[in-house]
Amino acid sequence: MHSQVATRVRLSRKTARDLPKAVTLFLSWLGATAVGVTSTAGTSEAQVIRQSHDQTKAQGPHLFSPAGDSLRRGSGELGRALGLHEDSPLTLGGEWFGNGSTQMSGGWAGAYGRQSFGQAGIIDLRMNLEKAKVMKGAEIWIQGLQYNVLNNGNNAAGSVQQINNVISAPPFTRTELYTYGWKQTFWDGQVQVSLGKLFAGYYFGAVSRPIPDQNPEIASGPNTNLLFLPPYSQPTFVGREPGYPDSTLGGVITVQPKLLNKRTYFTIGVFDGRTGLGPVGSVATGLQAGGNLMGPLLTMAEAGSVWSVGQQRLPGQLAIGLWNQSGRLTTPCAAQGGKDNCAIEDRATGGYAYAIQTLSAFKRQGNPGKVVAFLQGGATPSNTNMVKSSLTAGVEIVGPFNGRAKDSYGLGISWANLNNSTEAAWGFNKNELMLQLTGRLHVWRNIYAQPVISWLPKVGFEQAKENSTTFTLQLSTSF
């Protein structure tokens, strides 16, 4: 028994040779600044990765939102440039997103200015322990995040739902140990366990995460490239869900039974809930290296199923979920002090659902394209939540023009019923309605430009002016 264990933990020569290169670079990146102290239904993760790799060779790498739904970041080119072999169990990559916005009309520009800027850079180092002949079905990873914002463009637009997912929670200048963890699959991929400092948006309500389609000729990539936040974090999660940039300690278990052809999944997760306590007591958990699972907790559960329809096997997905936040939950009213009737709760609960369907698949000059649509909604009876209920819909078309296989265009609309009670004193209107039109255009190699127009005929903040119009230009790349 002892000899078998020793054999399993012995790294291959290639792995041992590659490890110092990747670790040294990653630690050097963290040391350059002061560091603040997956579920896939229907197809095994290995199959999804192989499909993605094959499609990437033909179409180029696909970027995801920094607030969005890819646990693995980057194309791995950084590691290969530093000498890691393509078949190495070690991968090193990353992504960068930067955008600037101009408030063209309406909104809350008087308080927040007409121009805003935000950027997020993520470095991703991971090891496939099965490929390294250490442990079957296991992977470990670590990610670093550099996050900077100049002026809050979401507030300038008067948006509670957030028109720009790169701009998120303060503090607006941070270098942090973003996520790290261990992922293990059991019983031929029927059970997957993830433990560590996690990004909850990857596992729950992940509208933009690609459906694991079984037709490799369908264009890969996320279901939407919209810049507004709802497809990446359901509006009723705002102020509750740990994610970008405030990841937190937690654990997630996903079950995909063979009995249901691994096309149906059940996921449950428990996270350090201190980021969701409200204005009094909330903690920027992203700045902490660890966490606390002995205090307030956020518990989430989701069940869903995927399918393929028609001769083209067009993929679709339906999911429903529940969440529960414990702890002393507060509002701005409580933060102001001197009032006895402020909304304060010991618990908040809510539910959500979303549906995604690929409507069409086609080819332009031999390159695959697709049209995909989504619908999502959520509600909560909580008196301390920012958003009481919401409904969001969007459509994305990928590669519609000859010679532009990597371009995509999206249209989205999102409505939210806001918590405008005087007992909460959030300073919101009753409703917010926003529309967004975007095009994600391939520039060169792994570089993309994305112009975005956001229009809010109904703004969320009371002090903002109606008919808020914002132009944003985002640049992004993976490496």
Side-chain angles (χ1 to χ4, degrees):
M1 177 67 72
H2 177 77
S3 62
Q4 291 176 348
V5 173
T7 300
R8 291 180 65 188
V9 299
R10 188 179 298 125
L11 299 177
S12 69
R13 290 183 180 178
K14 182 183 293 185
T15 303
R17 185 174 64 247
D18 289 344
L19 180 59
K21 298 178 184 177
V23 172
T24 299
L25 179 78
F26 187 74
L27 294 179
S28 298
W29 180 85
L30 288 177
T33 51
V35 179
V37 238
T38 72
S39 77
T40 304
T43 305
S44 72
E45 185 158 1
Q47 288 175 298
V48 173
I49 292 172
R50 283 197 299 271
Q51 289 177 0
S52 177
H53 182 70
D54 291 343
Q55 292 168 327
T56 297
K57 283 185 175 180
Q59 298 174 256
H62 288 270
L63 291 164
F64 294 78
S65 157
D69 308 297
S70 178
L71 190 61
R72 179 185 300 268
R73 295 291 184 166
S75 61
E77 291 185 19
L78 177 59
R80 292 191 289 274
L82 293 168
L84 294 179
H85 295 279
E86 188 169 357
D87 60 347
S88 170
L90 277 171
T91 60
L92 178 63
E95 296 174 349
W96 178 83
F97 305 82
N99 64 46
S101 297
T102 297
Q103 192 62 32
M104 300 171 65
S105 65
W108 204 356
Y112 290 93
R114 292 198 173 276
Q115 278 73 44
S116 66
F117 303 91
Q119 75 90 28
I122 301 172
I123 293 289
D124 181 301
L125 171 66
R126 60 188 59 235
M127 176 183 281
N128 185 321
L129 296 180
E130 180 172 354
K131 202 171 184 180
K133 297 180 170 55
V134 175
M135 184 180 296
K136 185 177 180 180
E139 182 180 62
I140 56 175
W141 80 91
I142 184 171
Q143 295 176 336
L145 170 68
Q146 179 65 48
Y147 167 71
N148 302 91
V149 172
L150 179 62
N151 294 337
N152 190 332
N154 291 319
N155 286 6
S159 177
V160 177
Q161 298 181 87
Q162 302 182 26
I163 63 168
N164 185 341
N165 64 53
V166 173
I167 298 175
S168 187
F172 289 137
T173 297
R174 56 168 89 182
T175 303
E176 67 181 43
L177 181 60
Y178 185 34
T179 75
Y180 58 83
W182 166 71
K183 181 174 62 178
Q184 179 71 56
T185 58
F186 302 94
W187 300 301
D188 193 24
Q190 293 185 86
V191 176
Q192 178 177 292
V193 178
S194 296
L195 300 171
K197 190 182 181 192
L198 304 178
F199 178 93
Y202 172 75
Y203 304 94
F204 299 96
V207 171
S208 70
R209 184 178 62 207
I211 305 170
D213 56 76
Q214 296 187 348
N215 183 354
E217 299 205 355
I218 293 178
S220 61
N223 298 311
T224 180
N225 285 299
L226 288 165
L227 190 62
F228 66 32
L229 185 62
Y232 314 100
S233 183
Q234 219 279 333
T236 54
F237 294 168
V238 172
R240 301 290 189 211
E241 183 185 51
Y244 162 83
D246 284 318
S247 54
T248 193
L249 194 67
V252 178
I253 299 176
T254 295
V255 179
Q256 300 176 128
K258 278 186 177 180
L259 183 64
L260 299 174
N261 297 319
K262 296 175 72 174
R263 303 290 280 171
T264 298
Y265 68 93
F266 308 90
T267 301
I268 186 167
V270 179
F271 305 92
D272 179 348
R274 292 175 298 154
T275 192
L277 298 180
V280 180
S282 64
V283 175
T285 54
L287 293 172
Q288 299 184 340
N292 182 6
L293 296 177
M294 301 304 292
L297 296 175
L298 175 66
T299 305
M300 307 183 78
E302 181 174 303
S305 187
V306 299
W307 58 79
S308 299
V309 297
Q311 292 183 345
Q312 292 181 299
R313 292 177 290 170
L314 302 176
Q317 180 177 357
L318 176 67
I320 58 173
L322 299 170
W323 59 268
N324 180 84
Q325 170 76 54
S326 66
R328 185 177 184 270
L329 312 181
T330 62
T331 59
C333 177
Q336 294 166 7
K339 296 184 179 180
D340 297 327
N341 62 339
C342 293
I344 297 176
E345 297 176 310
D346 294 325
R347 186 175 304 277
T349 60
Y352 64 93
Y354 62 93
I356 309 161
Q357 180 60 55
T358 304
L359 304 178
S360 174
F362 53 85
K363 285 192 173 184
R364 294 285 186 267
Q365 296 180 336
N367 296 309
K370 66 179 178 181
V371 180
V372 60
F374 72 89
L375 178 67
Q376 68 174 146
T380 174
S382 168
N383 294 319
T384 58
N385 241 53
M386 296 186 193
V387 179
K388 304 283 285 183
S389 58
S390 67
L391 188 64
T392 306
V395 62
E396 187 89 5
I397 181 168
V398 179
F401 302 121
N402 291 337
R404 302 292 304 177
K406 300 177 184 179
D407 293 353
S408 63
Y409 305 87
L411 175 66
I413 182 171
S414 190
W415 166 85
N417 175 25
L418 305 178
N419 185 352
N420 67 336
S421 71
T422 56
E423 291 79 9
W426 284 109
F428 297 159
N429 293 316
K430 184 177 181 180
N431 298 294
E432 176 180 307
L433 178 64
M434 65 177 176
L435 294 89
Q436 191 168 89
L437 177 66
T438 182
R440 183 169 168 275
L441 310 175
H442 180 239
V443 178
W444 178 69
R445 300 189 67 175
N446 297 345
I447 300 174
Y448 291 81
Q450 185 172 355
V452 183
I453 289 288
S454 305
W455 178 49
L456 280 73
K458 291 288 185 182
V459 293
F461 286 98
E462 284 182 332
Q463 298 187 50
K465 297 179 181 179
E466 303 283 21
N467 290 313
S468 168
T469 305
T470 310
F471 174 76
T472 305
L473 179 61
Q474 175 163 291
L475 296 176
S476 54
T477 187
S478 66
F479 45 86

